[in-house]
């Protein structure tokens, strides 16, 4: 049966397996990046609540920068997938080479921005006892951004040309290195927070080096090693396409980071609890993020091969899969939140608050998955500006003021901050799918 004659339900069912086959390795690869954060959290937690809170502040700001850089990485992935859909290896090679150059510039610039931001943490109300030990970890994690960004630019090639498990293997090289490096640097050499940052840099560089070697040596990658002339105009073109994505992702990530800063206003214990929830819930979120990436690639391939009738079935199948997963994740957080918190902290106040925050995270799971997948599908169509405006509007004029209102004015504390954040997710989960449906009307 051809793409043009498949009935709607049959076309949707036909997308389940290709999406799963692509999404599972994407999820596994993205989870590897988050597992490094989980390892850091687990290794830092024995040092006490204040070091754990320091990691929480760092993560809050990293989220903004990585979210913005993810816009650049998304553009590279979409351009590669469209070139692959058009069966044009030279187009893929050009997108990759110009993209890696853009990642190097973007990663370096982000590292400098993060270092320059450090003096503002005190005026933003972060706890003095946390800031007293933060600087070495802060600088090392700023440097970590550079190999992280270049690696994920390279990883987008393997994901988009049907070599996703190669990307998974490369990602887990970093995890394997990170575990013993963290233990050695933090607890044997007694470098504390600085050791955690150095271990992250080392592990990410190992993944990047392995990815570069595979690209240069593997016979299967030969079509993408061909010489193509990369001009700064190509890099500039990717940057122009990526800027709306950067703003949109930074808007979402920035809103989440401000939630983290609000936790700092509530004290070190709230920051530590937020870091625990952020680390563990972040790993679970790699499932819908992987599905969003799969939807983006599948949509990009359909656009590149001029098969627009596949677009709606791709989104519908993605929604079914991500909703099922998010429902399971919500149950895990509701039933097992306290146990998860106890594995990361022995401070009773931190455990109690983290348990409550796990309940809040459970409530937003399905909306978060739906808006993420819709966003990925829209970006596969290179529809970037309008979705970014929606994201900015949902989180900044709506979610953050609501978080402040519920958390501080009405006095509901950490739980109130999360209630306000959920409002932004709900708006995005409604508006973004409607946008995709309108653009794909027959």
């Amino acid at each position: 049966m051809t793409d043009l004659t498949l009935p709607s339900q049959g076309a949707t069912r036909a997308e389940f397996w290709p999406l799963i086959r692509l999404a599972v390795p994407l999820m596994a690869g993205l989870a590897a990046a988050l597992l490094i954060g989980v390892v850091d959290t687990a290794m830092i937690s024995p040092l006490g609540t204040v070091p754990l809170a320091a990691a929480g502040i760092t993560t809050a700001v990293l989220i903004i920068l990585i979210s913005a850089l993810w816009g650049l990485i998304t553009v590279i992935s979409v351009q590669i997938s469209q070139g692959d859909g058009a069966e044009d290896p030279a187009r893929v090679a050009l997108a990759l080479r110009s993209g890696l150059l853009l990642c190097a510039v973007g990663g370096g610039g982000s590292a400098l921005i993060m270092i320059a931001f450090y003096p503002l943490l005190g005026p933003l109300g972060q706890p003095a006892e946390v800031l007293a030990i933060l600087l070495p970890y802060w600088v090392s994690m700023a440097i970590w951004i550079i190999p992280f960004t270049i690696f994920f630019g390279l990883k987008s090639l393997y994901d988009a040309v049907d070599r996703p498990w190669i990307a998974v293997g490369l990602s887990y090289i970093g995890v394997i290195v990170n575990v013993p490096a963290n233990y050695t640097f933090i607890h044997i050499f007694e470098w504390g927070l600085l050791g955690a940052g150095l271990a992250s840099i080392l592990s990410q560089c190992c993944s990047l080096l392995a990815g570069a070697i595979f690209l240069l040596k593997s016979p299967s990658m030969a079509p993408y090693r061909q010489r193509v002339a990369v001009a700064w105009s190509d890099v500039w073109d990717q940057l122009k396409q990526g800027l709306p994505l950067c703003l949109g992702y930074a808007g979402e990530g920035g809103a989440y980071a401000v939630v983290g800063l609000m936790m700092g206003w509530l004290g070190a214990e709230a920051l530590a609890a937020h870091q625990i929830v952020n680390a563990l819930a972040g790993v679970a979120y790699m499932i819908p993020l992987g599905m969003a990436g799969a939807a983006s690639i599948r949509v990009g391939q359909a656009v590149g091969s001029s098969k627009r009738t596949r677009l709606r079935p791709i989104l519908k199948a993605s929604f079914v899969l991500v909703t099922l997963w998010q429902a399971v994740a919500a149950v895990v957080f509701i039933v097992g939140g306290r146990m998860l918190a106890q594995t990361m902290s022995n401070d009773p106040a931190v455990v109690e608050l983290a348990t409550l925050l796990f309940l809040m995270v459970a409530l937003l799971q399905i909306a978060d998955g739906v808006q993420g997948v819709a966003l990925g599908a829209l970006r596969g169509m290179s529809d970037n500006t309008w979705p970014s405006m929606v994201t900015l509007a949902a989180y900044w004029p709506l979610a953050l003021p609501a978080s402040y209102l519920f958390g501080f004015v009405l006095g509901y504390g950490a739980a109130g901050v999360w209630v306000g954040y959920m409002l932004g997710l709900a708006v995005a989960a409604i508006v973004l799918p409607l946008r995709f449906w309108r653009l794909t009307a027959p």
Side-chain angles (χ1 to χ4, degrees):
M1 187 172 292
T2 67
D3 180 73
L4 295 176
T5 59
L6 276 171
S8 177
Q9 290 186 352
T12 301
R13 286 195 298 270
E15 289 294 337
F16 283 144
W17 177 242
L19 281 166
I20 292 171
R21 188 168 58 87
L22 181 56
V24 168
L26 284 175
M27 296 167 190
L30 290 166
L34 264 292
L35 280 173
I36 290 177
V38 173
V39 170
D40 283 356
T41 301
M43 295 287 186
I44 290 170
S45 61
L47 300 177
T49 297
V50 173
L52 192 58
I57 294 176
T58 306
T59 299
V61 176
L62 277 174
I63 286 171
I64 302 176
L65 296 171
I66 291 174
S67 297
L69 291 168
W70 203 256
L72 303 181
I73 295 167
T74 300
V75 167
I76 298 167
S77 179
V78 169
Q79 288 190 351
I80 291 174
S81 62
Q82 289 179 352
D84 185 58
E87 300 181 354
D88 187 349
R91 181 176 167 187
V92 172
L94 178 61
L96 174 66
R97 292 194 178 197
S98 56
L100 290 178
L101 182 56
L102 182 60
C103 285
V105 174
S110 297
L112 293 175
I113 290 171
M114 183 167 176
I115 293 171
F117 186 77
Y118 179 80
L120 299 178
L121 293 175
L124 287 173
Q126 300 310 297
E129 67 272 24
V130 174
L131 296 179
I133 64 170
L134 178 60
L135 183 59
Y137 183 67
W138 184 273
V139 173
S140 60
M141 292 308 294
I143 295 171
W144 167 84
I145 293 173
I146 300 172
F148 171 87
T149 308
I150 298 173
F151 172 74
F152 271 87
L154 180 58
K155 179 180 178 294
S156 64
L157 169 69
Y158 301 122
D159 290 333
V161 300
D162 294 327
R163 302 289 193 281
W165 286 108
I166 298 297
V168 172
L170 296 170
S171 299
Y172 277 89
I173 289 173
V175 177
I176 292 170
V177 172
N178 189 247
V179 174
N182 251 300
Y183 184 80
T184 301
F185 294 166
I186 295 174
H187 299 292
I188 295 180
F189 293 170
E190 297 184 348
W191 290 346
L193 280 174
L194 174 61
L198 295 177
S200 295
I201 294 171
L202 175 63
S203 59
Q204 194 64 71
C205 286
C206 288
S207 288
L208 175 58
L209 178 61
I213 291 172
F214 187 85
L215 174 63
L216 295 174
K217 300 296 184 181
S218 173
S220 65
M221 293 291 105
Y224 314 117
R225 291 197 297 266
Q226 60 182 286
R227 293 184 178 276
V228 289
V230 179
W232 279 106
S233 59
D234 300 313
V235 179
W236 177 243
D237 179 64
Q238 286 184 327
L239 179 60
K240 285 192 295 184
Q241 290 190 46
L243 280 176
L245 293 178
C246 292
L247 290 174
Y249 277 126
E252 182 177 355
Y256 191 78
V258 171
V259 168
L261 293 174
M262 288 183 184
M263 293 297 177
W265 301 344
L266 297 170
E269 290 172 348
L271 261 179
H274 182 71
Q275 173 65 9
I276 290 170
V277 174
N278 182 57
L280 296 174
V283 173
Y285 182 64
M286 292 304 99
I287 305 299
L289 191 57
M291 185 59 65
S296 179
I297 291 171
R298 293 288 292 171
V299 167
Q301 290 172 339
V303 170
S305 58
S306 301
K307 294 181 179 178
R308 290 184 59 87
T309 54
R310 287 174 44 202
L311 298 181
R312 286 190 173 186
I314 289 170
L315 185 68
K316 288 192 286 185
S318 300
F319 278 166
V320 171
L321 293 170
V322 80
T323 299
L324 290 173
W325 163 253
Q326 295 297 78
V328 172
V331 171
V332 170
F333 291 143
I334 291 170
V335 174
R338 179 174 296 277
M339 182 183 68
L340 292 172
Q342 289 171 339
T343 63
M344 290 291 185
S345 177
N346 56 11
D347 185 329
V350 172
V351 170
E352 286 298 323
L353 184 53
T355 302
L356 175 61
L357 295 184
F358 272 123
L359 292 176
M360 306 306 300
V361 168
L363 295 177
L364 58 81
Q365 289 300 296
I366 292 177
D368 206 8
V370 167
Q371 68 91 23
V373 165
L375 203 53
L378 286 166
R379 284 162 183 174
M381 297 179 66
S382 296
D383 182 37
N384 299 328
T385 303
W386 197 89
S388 297
M389 293 173 60
V390 169
T391 301
L392 290 171
Y395 290 105
W396 288 89
L398 175 60
L400 291 180
S403 291
Y404 186 81
L405 173 66
F406 288 120
F408 297 93
V409 177
L410 299 180
Y412 292 111
V417 172
W418 273 92
V419 168
Y421 182 75
M422 289 165 58
L423 293 178
L425 278 176
V427 170
I430 294 170
V431 176
L432 292 174
L434 292 176
R435 168 71 171 182
F436 186 90
W437 219 247
R438 188 180 71 80
L439 292 179
T440 56

